[in-house]
């Protein structure tokens, strides 16, 4: 069951847009107010006058339940339905919720006679409309999967956008599949709850002739999901050899990679055999590096189990290990044959790991453009609460964005540099503080804050964007760090960044969502801003 629910203030156009959307989608149209009126045998005004608003809301909830088993429909909802949390929960379980956005002034223009609206009846309908909309604005945003602005737009244009949003929404029970078109070996990212159950069948599509699989994981993830994946691979006819490493960044090094390579050699793995990475970014990078180097390259699949891995590191083919000089300085480009991202695995993710992935979601939204960024602004609180559908949408958006970038620049010689936004300072913070001392997500978010301010000072960036970015990072739980680090050590660490050229540090600078460039910045300029930034940390520290 996947209804489309149109919510919004009175006069937003739900009853006008709804039938046209239904026609485009080939679905029935339902006006929930008409359902209530039919069930109660009275007009809406009569119900309000006779029973009051609270009773009417209860009748709305009853009407909502009555359409649960109907065929997929487009449903126009009453403006106050969002004031009932139970109704919002029911809508979100039954389908996709689209908020048609309007203003009080625009709504009043569209309502021919405000006296026919019980909640606007009175001496000052304009004041009543503004007050009522102000009280509901956040409720609409929190309830909606998508928001579509209707002010000053032709109806046909609004209908087009609603249809586009609904068509791209994840369907309950069906995974989202995002193609990644790189080189001669394009692959797919399969996203959704429960897709681990299809791991064997999905992998067989990408590895039809493979007989043996090295299942590389860490001991924590292996205990949680290893047996499930191993069972599904065996059911598909694979001989599975689990290889577990210790969890954490310390395992992403030459020694551990060498141990896995030696294990493959002892097992006499051949080029037709396969490596599957089950875990987060560390396991994915490590296993991918092994697959890229063993016999000069064997098949490789990603099964990411962390938010960071699902939205970023599992897609694009960058693999590697850390050196003493810095993170990911030794590696290879090795595209997987498939990525299987089960969003159910995120339910058990510790908060620190969740924040690491959250920073990558924010980075993707900033660099991708205004549409993604605005969506994340509206959905941030639902994302923080780990709402299932919001997570699926966020992961899907990030993967689509990264797929578009990787397809244009597979080996990071041009546009792909944008993916390093926030990471120049972020990686330096992690190195100087000691890996693990500052969570990756906090370090990257701090790098984003710093880069946005640097853009204002050196290239005319927007202070409005700085404020918007700060606000969304705060809402996502990525508060500014308070650690005070040695600025000289931080600058030295930046020089080991992969974007550095000719001994000069280069920053990805963003002026507005979707508008970025990578620029060389002189050490003296960086040092000046680092001093000010680190001084602010000292002042903030209790």
């Amino acid at each position: 069951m996947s209804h489309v629910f149109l919510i919004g203030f009175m006069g937003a156009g739900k009853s006008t847009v709804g039938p046209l959307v239904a026609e485009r989608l080939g679905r029935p149209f339902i006006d929930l107010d008409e359902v209530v009126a039919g069930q109660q045998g009275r007009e809406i005004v009569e119900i309000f006058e006779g029973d009051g608003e609270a009773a009417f809301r209860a009748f709305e909830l009853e009407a909502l339940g009555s359409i649960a088993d109907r065929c997929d429909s487009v449903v126009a909802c009453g403006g106050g339905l969002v004031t009932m949390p139970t109704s919002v929960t029911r809508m979100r379980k039954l389908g996709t919720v689209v908020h048609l956005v309007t203003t009080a002034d625009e709504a009043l223009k569209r309502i021919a006679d405000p006296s026919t609206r019980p909640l606007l009846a009175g001496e000052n309908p304009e004041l009543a409309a503004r007050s009522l909309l102000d009280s509901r604005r956040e409720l609409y945003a929190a309830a909606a999967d998508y928001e579509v602005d209707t002010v000053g737009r032709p109806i046909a244009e609004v209908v087009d956008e609603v249809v586009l949003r609904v068509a791209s929404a994840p369907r309950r029970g069906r995974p989202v599949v995002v193609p990644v078109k790189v080189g001669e070996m394009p692959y797919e990212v399969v996203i959704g709850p429960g897709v681990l159950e299809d791991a064997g069948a999905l992998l067989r599509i990408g590895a039809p002739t493979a007989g043996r699989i090295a299942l590389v994981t860490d001991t924590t993830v292996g205990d949680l999901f290893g047996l499930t994946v191993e069972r599904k691979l065996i059911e598909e006819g694979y001989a599975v050899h689990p290889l577990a490493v210790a969890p954490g960044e310390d395992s992403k090094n030459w020694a551990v990679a060498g141990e896995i390579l030696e294990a493959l050699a002892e097992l006499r793995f051949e080029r037709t055999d396969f490596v599957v990475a089950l875990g987060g970014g560390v396991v994915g990078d490590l296993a991918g590096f092994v697959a890229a180097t063993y016999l000069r390259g064997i098949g490789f699949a990603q099964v990411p189990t962390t938010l960071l891995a699902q939205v970023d590191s599992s897609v694009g083919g960058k693999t590697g290990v850390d050196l003493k000089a810095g993170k990911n300085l030794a590696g290879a480009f090795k595209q997987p044959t498939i990525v299987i991202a089960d969003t159910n695995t995120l339910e058990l993710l510790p908060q620190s790991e969740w924040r690491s992935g959250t920073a990558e979601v924010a980075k993707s939204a900033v660099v991708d453009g205004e549409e993604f960024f605005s969506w994340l602004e509206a959905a941030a609180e639902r994302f923080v609460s780990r709402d299932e559908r919001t997570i699926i949408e966020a992961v899907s958006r990030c993967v689509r964005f990264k797929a578009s970038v990787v397809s244009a620049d597979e080996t990071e010689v041009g546009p792909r540099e944008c993916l390093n936004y926030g990471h120049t300072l972020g990686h330096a913070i992690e190195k100087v503080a000691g890996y693990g001392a500052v969570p990756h997500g906090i370090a990257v978010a701090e790098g984003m804050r710093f880069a946005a301010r640097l853009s204002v000072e050196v290239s005319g960036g927007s202070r409005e964007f700085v404020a918007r970015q700060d606000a969304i990072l705060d809402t996502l739980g990525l508060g500014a760090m308070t650690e005070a680090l040695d600025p000289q050590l931080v600058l030295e660490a930046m020089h080991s960044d992969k974007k550095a050229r000719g001994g000069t540090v280069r920053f990805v600078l963003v002026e507005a969502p979707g508008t970025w460039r990578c620029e060389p910045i002189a050490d003296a300029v960086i040092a000046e801003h680092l001093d000010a930034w680190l001084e602010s940390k000292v002042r903030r520290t209790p």
Side-chain angles (χ1 to χ4, degrees):
M1 189 66 60
S2 186
H3 295 302
V4 176
F5 295 97
L6 301 180
I7 65 171
F9 195 58
M10 60 185 80
K14 302 182 293 290
S15 59
T16 302
V17 171
L20 299 174
V21 171
E23 182 180 358
R24 289 274 297 277
L25 296 176
R27 300 184 182 191
F29 172 71
I30 299 172
D31 188 313
L32 203 62
D33 279 354
E34 293 182 0
V35 175
V36 172
Q39 290 176 341
Q40 301 303 315
R42 292 175 288 169
E43 295 299 321
I44 301 300
V45 173
E46 295 176 313
I47 296 173
F48 263 88
E49 291 176 348
D51 300 336
E53 184 179 357
F56 176 73
R57 299 301 172 210
F59 295 150
E60 277 188 314
L61 181 59
E62 181 182 345
L64 195 60
S66 73
I67 69 171
D69 294 327
R70 296 196 192 184
C71 64
D72 291 352
S73 304
V74 176
V75 184
C77 302
L81 188 66
V82 293
T83 63
M84 299 284 288
T86 304
S87 296
V88 173
T89 300
R90 182 165 292 179
M91 279 192 297
R92 293 181 63 80
K93 286 184 177 180
L94 292 176
T96 301
V97 184
V98 180
H99 173 205
L100 299 183
V101 181
T102 189
T103 63
D105 289 342
E106 183 72 16
L108 288 169
K109 290 179 184 177
R110 298 172 182 173
I111 298 171
D113 183 4
S115 66
T116 62
R117 307 285 179 145
L119 295 179
L120 296 186
E123 295 182 0
N124 195 334
E126 292 84 0
L127 180 62
R130 291 189 182 91
S131 176
L132 192 59
L133 180 54
D134 285 344
S135 70
R136 292 177 179 176
R137 199 182 310 276
E138 292 185 1
L139 296 177
Y140 290 134
D145 293 299
Y146 303 100
E147 293 194 313
V148 175
D149 192 0
T150 69
V151 179
R153 302 177 69 187
I155 292 176
E157 187 177 308
V158 174
V159 171
D160 285 345
E161 185 172 348
V162 173
V163 171
L164 176 64
R165 294 282 175 252
V166 172
S168 64
R171 296 291 191 271
R172 186 168 299 279
R174 286 195 336 206
V176 177
V177 179
V178 179
V180 183
K181 301 175 181 179
V182 289
E184 298 179 357
M185 296 292 290
Y187 57 94
E188 293 180 334
V189 182
V190 183
I191 306 161
V195 294
L196 276 187
E197 293 295 321
D198 299 319
L202 290 169
L203 186 60
R204 183 59 77 183
I205 296 172
T209 61
R212 294 186 296 172
I213 286 178
L215 181 60
V216 180
T217 187
D218 67 44
T219 52
T220 299
V221 175
D223 288 343
L224 293 172
F225 310 114
L227 289 179
T228 297
V229 174
E230 185 175 352
R231 174 170 51 84
K232 291 301 178 181
L233 295 176
I234 291 172
E235 288 176 0
E236 194 61 32
Y238 293 107
V240 182
H241 301 273
L243 299 172
V245 302
E249 191 76 26
D250 288 345
S251 288
K252 204 172 80 173
N253 58 52
W254 282 110
V256 175
E259 290 172 5
I260 299 175
L261 287 166
E262 291 290 356
L264 297 185
E266 289 181 11
L267 291 167
R268 297 186 178 181
F269 261 50
E270 300 174 354
R271 284 186 174 171
T272 55
D273 295 322
F274 225 72
V275 174
V276 172
L278 172 66
V282 167
V283 167
D285 285 356
L286 179 65
F289 179 71
V290 167
T293 52
Y294 183 74
L295 298 180
R296 297 186 177 88
I298 64 175
F300 166 55
Q302 288 267 23
V303 185
T305 60
T306 66
L307 181 61
L308 185 151
Q310 291 189 5
V311 302
D312 184 63
S313 63
S314 66
V315 181
K318 287 173 68 173
T319 73
V321 295
D322 299 337
L323 303 181
K324 291 180 181 179
K327 292 183 67 171
N328 303 318
L329 293 184
F333 287 96
K334 175 69 175 177
Q335 300 293 344
T337 62
I338 192 169
V339 179
I340 304 169
D342 190 333
T343 51
N344 283 347
T345 65
L346 306 181
E347 294 176 359
L348 302 177
L349 210 58
Q351 190 64 16
S352 60
E353 288 290 337
W354 178 261
R355 285 176 177 163
S356 291
T358 298
E360 299 296 342
V361 174
K363 175 206 75 177
S364 296
V366 167
V367 181
D368 185 32
E370 182 62 42
E371 200 277 332
F372 189 176
F373 191 74
S374 295
W375 175 85
L376 187 58
E377 285 180 316
E381 291 185 359
R382 297 200 308 274
F383 182 83
V384 170
S385 68
R386 305 198 190 190
D387 173 72
E388 178 184 278
R389 294 183 60 179
T390 304
I391 291 171
I392 294 171
E393 175 68 14
V395 173
S396 301
R397 283 175 175 266
C398 288
V399 171
R400 289 191 188 100
F401 162 64
K402 188 164 186 182
S404 68
V405 174
V406 170
S407 298
D409 181 15
E410 183 178 357
T411 56
E412 200 173 26
V413 295
R416 189 167 176 170
E417 287 186 317
C418 70
L419 300 177
N420 288 308
Y421 180 57
H423 287 64
T424 300
L425 177 59
H427 282 168
I429 290 171
E430 290 182 275
K431 181 181 178 182
V432 173
Y435 292 119
V438 177
H440 175 75
I442 298 299
V444 170
E446 197 68 38
M448 293 169 62
R449 294 176 191 270
F450 183 86
R453 287 163 171 78
L454 187 62
S455 178
V456 171
E457 297 300 326
V458 305
S459 61
S462 164
R463 294 187 185 277
E464 178 187 359
F465 166 69
V466 172
R468 288 181 70 191
Q469 180 178 265
D470 281 351
I472 198 169
L473 292 175
D474 289 343
T475 303
L476 291 171
L478 298 167
M481 60 175 274
T482 58
E483 287 81 357
L485 306 176
D486 185 322
Q488 184 58 40
L489 293 179
V490 172
L491 181 57
E492 290 174 4
M494 286 186 189
H495 277 276
S496 67
D497 186 80
K498 296 184 294 299
K499 295 183 299 303
R501 300 286 189 275
T504 301
V505 177
R506 300 168 75 242
F507 269 85
V508 177
L509 302 178
V510 174
E511 295 180 5
T515 304
W516 67 274
R517 60 184 178 278
C518 194
E519 287 193 1
I521 307 293
D523 279 6
V525 175
I526 297 174
E528 176 186 352
H529 290 280
L530 276 178
D531 286 341
W533 168 71
L534 289 167
E535 177 61 28
S536 73
K537 305 303 164 190
V538 173
R539 290 196 302 270
R540 194 180 293 123
T541 302

